[in-house]
Amino acid sequence: MSSSELTAVPGGDAASVSRGASAVAARRERPAAGWALLGSELSVMFRRWRTWAMLGALAAIPLLIAVAVRITGGSSRGPAFLSDITSNGVFVAFTALVVCVPLFLPLTIGVVAGDTIAGEASHGTLRYLVIAPAGRLRLLAVKYAGAAVFCVAAALAVAVAGALIGMLLFPIGPVTLLSGVQVGLGEAYLRLLLIALFIVVSLLGLCAIGLFLSTLTDVPVGAMAATAVLAVVSQVLDQLPQLDALHPWLFSHYWLGFGDLLRDPISWDSFGANALLQLGYVAVFGALAVGRFTTKDIVS
């Protein structure tokens, strides 16, 4: 910058120019810092034995279902699709997802989401993260994104393990949908992935609730337990006919609504209603988390 350009700037001296250059550089570094923080978050998450233990436990559920059906020959009693497993191994994955949605998936999501902020506080690393170039808001966004990625990994662990185990232990072939139409194996697996996506969307609201609860405490176990308990309470309330007016507003209301993806043609009504409901929970509890975290006095 020339001397004439310096004088054109009010108070234009070397120090002010240096500060301006530093500010520009900082603004340019913030997006990169955010992506680096997300990469670090995912790296730490998937290096933990706890993460792989939970994914392994989820993947073991379709194995247990398949082995039990193989030994006993199947039964007409039990969760949806259970009686169809002996004739077509593809239904192992469908049955496992039905079994995992009410309890096992929310439990693991509660552990991950409840640990997002409270876990850092309990380890004494939160104060170092908030003074990083990413800042508090970006840290919250990264923590939520990490929990959402775990949702994807958890749903895929059940679906993929179920598909592989069903292929190994039972015959596989064209699948008869709920509407009575038969589709090929490739389309059946595509619909399985759509169901996994439906479940991921279903759990995003719970992730936001867990993130907010995690900002309220420095004890991660408390946030984990509260998130899991709320998931159970929401499902219990959804079963009470006296609360029919409340049901559409419960974040768990559409968790088992993926049956429409097994019809021909596919009905997207439940998918859209579920996505809109979860978006509302993400917006509300995300805003609460931001309000709490940006005003929180962080000492650990």
Side-chain angles (χ1 to χ4, degrees):
M1 182 177 288
S2 64
S3 58
S4 59
E5 289 174 318
L6 280 174
T7 56
V9 180
D13 54 18
S16 62
V17 172
S18 177
R19 285 194 298 270
S22 299
V24 172
R27 285 195 296 269
R28 290 177 177 175
E29 288 175 1
R30 282 175 185 172
W35 286 111
L37 187 60
L38 177 59
S40 175
E41 175 70 14
L42 296 178
S43 176
V44 170
M45 177 187 297
F46 287 102
R47 285 205 310 265
R48 289 175 176 167
W49 69 268
R50 182 184 69 191
T51 301
W52 290 104
M54 290 190 295
L55 293 177
L58 290 172
I61 292 173
L63 173 62
L64 294 174
I65 293 173
V67 170
V69 172
R70 183 72 176 180
I71 293 174
T72 61
S75 172
S76 58
R77 301 175 58 185
F81 309 116
L82 183 65
S83 59
D84 299 312
I85 290 177
T86 54
S87 59
N88 196 332
V90 178
F91 286 102
V92 172
F94 294 140
T95 305
L97 287 172
V98 171
V99 170
C100 288
V101 166
L103 178 61
F104 299 108
L105 281 170
L107 182 61
T108 56
I109 299 307
V111 170
V112 172
D115 188 58
T116 48
I117 301 299
E120 299 289 357
S122 68
H123 288 102
T125 56
L126 185 57
R127 59 181 173 180
Y128 299 108
L129 289 174
V130 297
I131 63 175
R136 295 195 183 198
L137 290 179
R138 194 158 295 171
L139 177 61
L140 272 180
V142 164
K143 289 293 184 180
Y144 181 79
V149 169
F150 181 82
C151 288
V152 176
L156 288 179
V158 178
V160 173
L164 293 176
I165 294 162
M167 189 183 303
L168 291 174
L169 297 183
F170 302 98
I172 59 173
V175 173
T176 301
L177 302 177
L178 297 178
S179 55
V181 177
Q182 194 173 74
V183 298
L185 197 57
E187 184 174 344
Y189 285 131
L190 177 60
R191 290 178 185 249
L192 177 62
L193 290 177
L194 286 176
I195 291 174
L197 175 61
F198 184 99
I199 292 172
V200 170
V201 172
S202 299
L203 295 172
L204 293 181
L206 183 63
C207 281
I209 294 172
L211 179 69
F212 168 63
L213 293 175
S214 190
T215 64
L216 300 178
T217 179
D218 293 341
V219 182
V221 175
M224 295 174 190
T227 305
V229 167
L230 285 177
V232 174
V233 169
S234 177
Q235 293 177 82
V236 171
L237 295 177
D238 200 35
Q239 298 302 314
L240 298 178
Q242 295 84 355
L243 300 176
D244 281 343
L246 180 64
H247 292 173
W249 301 96
L250 297 172
F251 61 86
S252 63
H253 182 63
Y254 295 101
W255 279 6
L256 293 174
F258 49 76
D260 288 343
L261 299 178
L262 292 175
R263 302 183 188 279
D264 189 51
I266 293 176
S267 174
W268 297 98
D269 293 343
S270 60
F271 192 104
N274 183 37
L276 186 61
L277 177 64
Q278 303 306 324
L279 180 61
Y281 272 90
V282 170
V284 170
F285 283 92
L288 290 174
V290 169
R292 167 60 179 169
F293 191 57
T294 53
T295 58
K296 183 177 182 179
D297 185 17
I298 297 173
V299 295
S300 62

